Amino acid sequence: MNKYKSLAMNTIIFAVGSFGSKILVLFLTRLYTSNISPADSSTKELLEITLNFLLPIFTLSISSATMRYGLDKEYNKKQVYTGSFVVCTAGLVSLFIISPLFKLISFLNYMDGYLFLLLLYVCASAFRDLNSQFIRAKQMLKLYSFDGILTTLTLFIFNIIFISALNMGVRGFMLASILSDSLSALFLFFAGKAYKYLNIKSFDAELTKIMLKFALPVIPTTIMWTITGFSDRLFIRYMHSDTAVLGEAAAGIYGYASKVPNLILMVSTIFYQAWNMSAITENNSEDKSDFYKTVYNAYQAMLYIATAYLIAFVKPITAIFVDSGNYSEYGDVYLYTPILAISVLLISLNQFLSSIYTATCHTKNSAWTSLSACVANIVLNVILIPKMGIQGAAIATLISYLVCYILRIIDTRRIIYFKVNHIDFILNMFVLLVMSYAIIAQPKLKIFYLLCGLIFATAYNFQPIIMTVKKLLKRH
């Protein structure tokens, strides 16, 4: 099987296991907006982001090394998994020890009443992530995909029980997430026979050091992306403005405005999971530059088309996933989605480029490029949010991800060179921004702008997709 078909088959396997489940998660957004107020939704969002902040710090991002070195045939899988398990467990124990200090930090007051649940949430997510990455390293992709379906179904059921039936609000969301992740971690541990690879006698200090050397730069990378999302909500929630509407409710609205673009992120993440494995396994191939060029061109072409259609139909799509019946404030969510949709496109391109850092073990480069996005986001939030409110946060996010993309497209091609057409990027970004303007400003020629944007995005980006399909159809 050629590398293109292998990538396509892995993507299909991930898609079968993830697409339906991820759509189900999006429909949970409707459940949340029906039962949780915008102010409480802001708290829920902040707790989720805090999880993403604490997870890499107290697990030392060891799960990223678990897949990287587990896939490498030069390393013993027992030593890889045991070392990862020991590091993960030690980190979580330290989290429980220092957690009382969180109460001393004033801006973390949203944790009041949720701290113990948050700690359990981190533990459940950490072990689920560790086991799922190890299953990927064993290339048990069907099991990995099945777990994705199973986990989402349990999450959906628990949310209905705790939020809809028992009306437990944010606490119900936390309990549902903890139980779902815990069941997933146990399922993968036993069904994937990870327990056979856990033996303290197999602990190899030298290999663990090598894995930590790889994983440690991933920590600031993950944290920077988390801060980029975290700062938006904090600034909207706590900043004061005489011209823009800010506060807890506004932060909740911004959180849900970012949910609809996740339709794009959902698809790109499915592809990224498969692509990341291909990037690692093909790292030493002679024609990897052509492989990267072909896949990247088709990937960005699909992203441009998907983003254009999402922006054009953003209002009816948002109405499907966000219920404004009980809380009328959610009715304006769609106005902030177009800019965030373009931001998600840039996140997806940045993910693709980060696979080069993973495959070649240049994780430090991933860290400093992420830092640039984080700094840009914070500075722009301070400038734009008081003047433009929620839309200012969206614009700050877009620009910060653009900064990261520019740095990575230059830096990664020094490591693995592949041809990129920058004119394509500029033209597509311009068209998407014009379409976003049509949704936000509602000009008289709105329909004309949107129609022209759709025609351009589809016609201009069609050829790279066809070329990749032809590569897939080749026998050799």
Side-chain angles (χ1 to χ4, degrees), residues 32 44 48 121 159 163 169-178:
Y32 299 145
K44 170 188 163 294
E48 286 183 279
Y121 192 8
N159 268 290
I163 295 179
V170 177
R171 188 166 279 101
F173 161 76
M174 298 287 284
L175 286 171
S177 301
I178 292 165

Side-chain angles (χ1 to χ4, degrees), residues 217-222 224-225 272 350 353-358 361-373 404 408 411-412 415:
V218 177
I219 299 174
T221 302
T222 309
M224 295 310 163
W225 287 122
Y272 173 72
N350 283 323
L353 298 174
S354 73
S355 65
I356 297 176
Y357 295 138
T358 301
C361 296
H362 284 77
T363 46
K364 289 182 180 178
N365 300 58
S366 182
W368 73 259
T369 51
S370 300
L371 175 62
S372 66
C404 184
R408 284 189 176 182
D411 184 54
T412 53
I415 302 169

